[in-house]
Every structure is written in structure tokens, then in C-alpha cells.
Amino acid sequence: MKPLSSHALSPLAAQLVALLLGSALTFTASAAPTVSRLTPPSNPLVTTADALARFLPGQKFDLQATLQPDAGSRITRVSFAVDDQIVATLRDDGSSADQFVAHTSLVKNGLVKGLKDGSVVASVRGYAQAKPGIHRLTVTAEDSSGAQTTRMGNFEVVALRTKAGQPVKNIIFMLGDGMGAAHRTAARIMAKGYLQGKAQDRLAMDTLPFTGMVMTSSLNSIVTDSAPGMANYVTGNKGANNQEGVFPDDTLAAFDNPRIEYLSEYLHRLKGTSLGIVTTADVFDATPAANAVHTASRGMGTGIVDQFLDDRHLTGLKVLMGGGRKWFLPNASNEIKPQAINGSQRRDASDYVLPADVVAGWQASPGKLDSNRDLIADFQAAGFAYAPDRSTLNQLGTSDRLLGLFAYSNMNVAFDKINGRRGKSSITADYGFPDQPMLDEMTDAALKVLSKSTGKAGDKGFVLLVEGASIDKQSHLMDTDRWILETLEFDCAVLQAKDYAAAHPDTLVIVTADHECSGAAIIGASVVSDAALRATAATADEKRNKVVGVYEAAKFPDYTILADGYPSTTDIDNKMLIGYGANADRYEAWVSNPQPTQDEQQPFVGAAPLNTFPANPNVRNNSSGYLVTGQVPGTQAVHTATDVPLSAFGRGAQLFTGVFDNTDVFFKLGQLVLGGAR
């Protein structure tokens, strides 16, 4: 649909067009307030038949507007209306005469720079609309001179098909962070082998019968980061980079942005479903948090992990597993220095206390600045069994709730965990966590907890997020061997999910990514032996021109896979070679790195032996590899805007074909759970 244009229109017609486009419409000849932001956001280029913000029937979200007064005036009244029906009216004295009085606020302080003096942010919290269709949102502002301004936007409530077949009860959402098509292909080549042009077997994710392609952009960029990359799937709305479960706003606080109800919250409120979150990252990280936590800053670790527990009544959280113990340990001094004692990084600076209107509108926990909180003890007091390592996890049996924290921050990667189990490396011990579970072991434990009531009366089903986090993290570092094994570890967990769905036909399994990372490309294979490769001089002529085989010279790399499902070594003769299209400068040696690159999120990274690991790809292999100049600044590869594959298995999987937006997935899931699958 082409954009509307106001050219050659009468003044009245042009004014009406401006109204449809969400522009400010002034009803007085004198200066008037300005509505500089209206939330939910509307598409300014098309008519109201194409809404940007979409919601399921009854899904909660906040209404908000930023109002800027004319010089010498102040905002005295703000009214929100939907389809010309007043929703709430806020006055400068804080009074309101409607049902949203406890859910509304008019904020004057703590706003971003650049707004006029006297600007306010007006909010209506926890609004919901059940009627399907396009709805007109109107905000009207009045200032102390009596001048008024009205701005219009729109949002859509997406209808559900009723009686469309059997509903889906359980959703297992498998998220390979940063996993593009090349990542999947490289893992298949390594694990399954090729002969005469054909793969000798398939990855578990390859066997899922329905596949589509997902467009991954965020609200404010063609290239998303992981926060909206995940949240877009489970809110149905575009979020801005670094933000989780919220729309952007003009306040400085990180936890007061306009909220959007997550899939977990929506289904728990309507049906009583449970939530499980499993990741190989720190549990505060973007992907796990973007299923349950509402914040404008993905780095607010203390508040994020507190919200997991304190708002479990909203999400139905029953399982939380991954790394991130540093956020759960008490920090009496409220400083980072005590990390040398117990690893805690809890601080008031990354915590929160919610405004009263958010608490009232969402029935959320108010929060507290409590750096000395023992969050592990609080989880246990709430009925969560606690596993600090793999051995304990195996001994727990099946509990009603489960917390597993297996590292201070991100868990060690599969490459190092497997080598540790085989007695070939001490990396996991160097980090202080030699007994970490693999992702499939964590997935199995989570499914046992979440399905404990399966088959019993009152079983409401579950949503389980399983993230293979370091596919992305090692792609950022251009550590090829490590991200390929991360993809294999993730695929082992996919097999667990597929087997569960095969035994429970009311379950849907989704396998996808939030974005592609690094522009990874399988460029060919080495034409020399591993020994010859290591003896080759570190020059472009030697390491590139005499090593990299393309087309028929690449042949078919042949890895030996052991009983645990991983290669005996990734350093074989004529090994597969990976290039990068979104890379920073790096030294490429084409061999596995015996030590991982330093992880700055680890609290003890500055202490021995972690400080002996290579600092970044800019210095790693600088004596044995040749310099590859990158396209981006900094020391790491970056995300790309490339579409990513999505594969599905189980009830309703047939809906996930073609090319679609990441927000579309939310509405497909809502249809399948609430309306059924054909």
C-alpha cells in the first residue's frame, strides 16, 4: 500500500491526513502543546489499516504519551481514548475520575534530555482490548492557556479462529542464539559427514518437517540485538535494541517503560500455564530475560534476576537454569570489589523499585534495592530445589520447581565441557565449575519438572525456552570450532524436545534463532594436513593461498564422531574452513584454540589463570595466524540482518512455512494454544 500524501489537498483534507498519520492536530490558533511520542507506536507511512502494534484479544499493554508544553505554559490535562471512548483522564494535580486512577501517572521528573521544560510522560498501565480489529488510539493534551492538541495512532487486536481443531498445550521454544543457516550446515557437515555430495545423516533440527524463514529486525534497526530478537517472538510487537518486553519511552528509569504482556504472562493469566527457562548463558542475559522480565536495559542484572522470582505469580515460572550465580549471591558492601570474596555482582545500581502505577496496573512486585539479598535462599524458600552442579542435578529427582546455577556468569562452552569430561582440558576447572551439565541434560531435567502433572486433572501445560546461547557468543569471537560444537550441543537438546513431543502429541517444538551472527560462511576446506597447517608460516600467502581449498579442492572433510556425539577432535587433516562477513580484525590460524577467549562477564576474569587466556580475536593467534582485516570496528564480529530458518515439529507445525516476521510467530502460537490447530 502506498503512503498517503497531503500534496494538492485542501487544508481540511491535509489536516485529516495528518491525523491519520499520527501527526499532532491543533484545534486552536494559538501555540499549543506537542505530543512527541505516542505508545503503542503506529506506522506513520500508511493508513490505519496497517497497524504496527498488534495484540491478542485481552493481551495487556500500556498506553503512554510524551507531552511538551509551549513556552510559558504547563500541561494541565491529558486524556486517552480508544475508538472515541475515554479510557483515562489525567490532571496536573494527579487526580483522575475513572477506573484507571490507580493505574495512571503523570511523570514530570527524570526525563531524557532534549525535551522542553515542563514536559510530562502520561501513562495508563495494564490496558487490554478484547475486540478484534483496528482500533484508533487518541491522546489529547491541554495546557494552562487552554490550548489543546490531539494526536491519533492505532493498534490492532488479532482475531483467533475458534474451533480450529485440537489446541496445543505445551510449547518448547528452542532458540539457537545467533544461529543462521551456515551454522546449521557446518554442524551437519562435522557431525554427519558428506559422501559424493550427500549428507550421510541429518541433525535433529533437520528432521523437523516444516521450515520457514524469519525476518529478524527490531523496532529501531534492521539489525537486532538479542533482547528484542527474543522478545518480538513472545510479545507480538517490535521492541527496540537492548530492551525487553517494553516499548521505548522518554524516562531515564530502566524499569518503568510501557510494558507488553509476554506469552508466558498471557497464557498463565488465562490458562495457568507454567514457564521454564533453560540457557547456557548467564540467566540474566537477553534471551532468557526476554521471556519474563520487563526492562529498557538488558544489563540490569540484579533487578532482572529478582524479577524472575518476585513476579513468578505473573509468569508461572517453575524452572530457571543456566549460569549467573554472581547475581544471586549477597553483596553486603554494594560494591563490585567484594567479587574477590564470593563472586557476587549484586548492586543497587542495577536493581529497581517500580512506580506505583506499574505495580497497580500489572499486579507486579514493587521491587527493592537489596544488594545483600540471598536470592538462592529466597528461591529455595519459594519451593525451588537448587542444583549448583551436574551431580546435584542428577540426584534431585523430579521436584515441583527447579533452580540451577552452574557458573558465575556464562556457562563454559561445549568444546571445553566435553574436553573436560574426556580429561583433555582443565578449562572448566579454571573457571571453578568442573561439573557442569550439557544443554540436553538441562532440557531433560526441565521437561521432567514441567511435565510432572501431565495426564493429571488440572494440567495447564507449559512454555519452555531452551537457549543455545554461545553459538552467538563464540560467533562474535569468530572461534569457529567452539561455535560449531555449541550448535551440536544445541541439536542434542533439540532431539530431547522432539522425542518429548513425539510422546506428547499436544506439544509443539519450534527451533529457530533470534538473528544471525558474524555472517558465517562455509568457504571450503584445508588442502593440507593438520600437521602441515600448524607448520605453515603465519602469512597470507602461506596460510591463505596455500591452505584454503575452494570448490572441488574442498572435497568432503571427514570427522570422527565419538559415542558422546561430538568429534574426537576438530583438528583433522583437510578440515572444514569458515569465513566471516561481519567481522572485526582477527588473526586466522585455521586451528582450534586451546584456550577460550576471555569472557569479560566472568567476575574473576582478571585473576589467574583466566587472565592468561587471549583477550580478544585481535590478539589471539597473532604469532601463528595471518591478519584478516574486518568490515566493522572493535574486536568482535557483529549480528547481521539476514533472515534465519525456523523449523517446527508437533501439533500445529504446519503453520510455520514461508517467509514471515518474528512477531508473526507470537500470533501463530496464540492461535494454536487458544484457538486450536487445523
Side-chain angles (χ1 to χ4, degrees):
M1 181 177 295
K2 294 182 178 179
L4 290 174
S5 173
S6 60
H7 294 304
L9 296 178
S10 68
L12 176 60
Q15 193 177 49
L16 291 174
V17 169
L19 183 63
L20 288 173
L21 297 182
S23 300
L25 181 60
T26 302
F27 293 106
T28 68
S30 61
T34 301
V35 182
S36 56
R37 186 193 296 272
L38 179 60
T39 301
S42 301
N43 191 333
L45 299 179
V46 294
T47 71
T48 52
D50 297 89
L52 175 63
R54 298 181 297 162
F55 306 94
L56 285 171
Q59 182 185 359
K60 295 172 65 174
F61 58 98
D62 290 342
L63 309 178
Q64 191 176 88
T66 300
L67 302 314
Q68 301 189 52
D70 188 51
S73 299
R74 59 184 177 83
I75 303 297
T76 57
R77 185 176 64 86
V78 182
S79 291
F80 291 89
V82 175
D83 300 332
D84 300 325
Q85 299 295 311
I86 296 295
V87 170
T89 299
L90 293 74
R91 295 181 176 86
D92 185 37
D93 61 6
S95 65
S96 180
D98 55 66
Q99 61 177 324
F100 282 90
V101 60
H103 304 177
T104 59
S105 65
L106 202 64
V107 176
K108 304 177 184 179
N109 300 313
L111 304 184
V112 299
K113 293 181 179 180
L115 300 178
K116 294 180 180 179
D117 291 343
S119 294
V120 299
V121 172
S123 303
V124 179
R125 305 290 187 174
Y127 175 81
Q129 174 62 249
K131 183 180 178 181
I134 302 289
H135 296 275
R136 183 171 60 255
L137 172 63
T138 307
V139 63
T140 300
E142 182 177 321
D143 68 14
S144 53
S145 72
Q148 291 187 4
T149 296
T150 293
R151 177 168 169 172
M152 285 188 180
N154 57 66
F155 62 87
E156 180 180 2
V157 175
V158 177
L160 296 173
R161 299 189 310 272
T162 58
K163 299 180 181 179
Q166 290 294 312
V168 168
K169 180 185 288 186
N170 309 312
I171 298 169
I172 306 177
F173 203 109
M174 309 291 300
L175 197 288
D177 202 304
M179 184 180 69
H183 297 80
R184 292 173 61 154
T185 306
R188 184 193 314 120
I189 290 172
M190 180 176 286
K192 306 303 178 182
Y194 277 59
L195 184 64
Q196 294 181 325
K198 284 198 171 184
Q200 296 303 285
D201 204 348
R202 302 288 191 272
L203 298 174
M205 68 183 87
D206 293 335
T207 66
L208 275 56
F210 297 94
T211 295
M213 295 296 291
V214 180
M215 298 177 281
T216 63
S217 296
S218 68
L219 179 65
N220 61 341
S221 176
I222 58 171
V223 182
T224 189
D225 86 311
S226 292
M230 179 72 240
N232 294 353
Y233 282 126
V234 287
T235 65
N237 282 269
K238 292 292 187 180
N241 285 354
N242 299 307
Q243 302 190 355
E244 300 162 347
V246 297
F247 289 120
D249 75 355
D250 291 311
T251 71
L252 296 174
F255 286 92
D256 71 343
N257 282 55
R259 291 188 171 198
I260 317 158
E261 194 169 36
Y262 281 117
L263 180 70
S264 61
E265 296 172 306
Y266 181 68
L267 294 181
H268 182 69
R269 180 166 59 85
L270 295 184
K271 298 176 76 271
T273 56
S274 300
L275 172 65
I277 294 174
V278 174
T279 180
T280 53
D282 188 317
V283 294
F284 101 103
D285 209 15
T287 299
N291 283 269
V293 175
H294 300 272
T295 180
S297 177
R298 56 176 285 185
M300 302 292 282
T302 308
I304 286 170
V305 295
D306 284 2
Q307 203 172 117
F308 275 132
L309 177 65
D310 295 342
D311 282 348
R312 66 191 183 281
H313 63 288
L314 300 179
T315 63
L317 182 73
K318 285 189 176 179
V319 176
L320 181 63
M321 281 193 287
R325 197 182 300 177
K326 68 183 184 181
W327 304 111
F328 290 71
L329 302 170
N331 183 353
S333 71
N334 190 30
E335 297 178 356
I336 288 300
K337 290 180 180 179
Q339 68 189 31
I341 300 172
N342 70 351
S344 176
Q345 291 198 357
R346 288 187 63 85
R347 286 190 301 161
D348 289 353
S350 63
D351 210 343
Y352 71 94
V353 176
L354 291 181
D357 61 318
V358 177
V359 175
W362 290 85
Q363 294 78 55
S365 171
K368 184 180 180 181
L369 302 183
D370 49 5
S371 65
N372 201 36
R373 183 179 189 180
D374 186 341
L375 192 58
I376 294 176
D378 286 353
F379 264 90
Q380 290 175 310
F384 284 75
Y386 174 55
D389 52 39
R390 177 196 182 201
S391 299
T392 306
L393 183 65
N394 291 338
Q395 295 166 6
L396 282 178
T398 303
S399 58
D400 292 327
R401 295 173 178 81
L402 176 59
L403 172 69
L405 299 172
F406 307 111
Y408 283 121
S409 184
N410 303 311
M411 294 176 65
N412 286 113
V413 297
F415 185 97
D416 298 317
K417 287 187 291 187
I418 288 294
N419 281 338
R421 292 187 182 191
R422 293 174 179 173
K424 296 172 60 177
S425 169
S426 64
I427 296 298
T428 55
D430 292 341
Y431 278 91
F433 295 91
D435 188 25
Q436 300 174 51
M438 304 299 290
L439 186 58
D440 59 321
E441 296 168 338
M442 297 161 66
T443 302
D444 180 59
L447 287 169
K448 287 177 179 176
V449 172
L450 293 171
S451 62
K452 189 174 181 181
S453 61
T454 295
K456 298 180 181 179
D459 176 27
K460 304 300 184 182
F462 60 81
V463 175
L464 172 61
L465 179 278
V466 178
E467 182 196 21
S470 286
I471 301 171
D472 174 76
K473 297 181 189 304
Q474 296 303 312
S475 294
H476 276 295
L477 298 171
M478 297 166 285
D479 194 326
T480 298
D481 299 71
R482 281 182 169 80
W483 69 246
I484 295 178
L485 261 64
E486 284 299 286
T487 310
L488 294 179
E489 181 187 29
F490 177 71
D491 194 60
C492 291
V494 171
L495 181 59
Q496 287 280 346
K498 181 185 176 185
D499 287 347
Y500 182 90
H504 300 82
D506 52 5
T507 300
L508 170 67
V509 177
I510 298 290
V511 179
T512 190
D514 46 356
H515 52 74
E516 196 276 343
C517 183
S518 77
I522 304 165
I523 57 177
S526 168
V527 296
V528 302
S529 68
D530 178 59
L533 178 59
R534 292 176 185 274
T536 299
T539 65
D541 181 60
E542 294 290 323
K543 277 282 198 247
R544 184 189 66 193
N545 300 352
K546 297 179 181 178
V547 168
V548 179
V550 299
Y551 299 110
E552 64 277 1
K555 299 185 174 63
F556 300 107
D558 186 15
Y559 296 84
T560 300
I561 304 301
L562 302 184
D564 57 18
Y566 297 88
S568 59
T569 178
T570 59
D571 290 316
I572 63 170
D573 296 343
N574 310 109
K575 72 180 293 183
M576 175 174 48
L577 302 182
I578 305 295
Y580 299 94
N583 59 304
D585 295 351
R586 76 183 191 281
Y587 285 92
E588 184 58 76
W590 304 120
V591 297
S592 65
N593 301 301
Q595 294 176 319
T597 306
Q598 290 182 18
D599 180 355
E600 62 183 14
Q601 294 190 54
Q602 301 292 343
F604 300 111
V605 72
L610 303 188
N611 61 3
T612 66
F613 297 170
N616 57 64
N618 231 326
V619 298
R620 185 185 63 205
N621 298 321
N622 58 1
S623 62
S624 60
Y626 73 100
L627 178 64
V628 180
T629 302
Q631 293 82 34
V632 301
T635 61
Q636 294 192 5
V638 298
H639 300 173
T640 70
T642 306
D643 293 354
V644 297
L646 181 150
S647 300
F649 175 85
R651 183 170 293 173
Q654 68 276 7
L655 290 188
F656 297 91
T657 59
V659 179
F660 43 88
D661 191 71
N662 49 16
T663 59
D664 294 332
V665 173
F666 175 81
F667 297 98
K668 295 175 187 288
L669 295 175
Q671 170 61 46
L672 292 171
V673 174
L674 300 175
R678 289 180 176 176

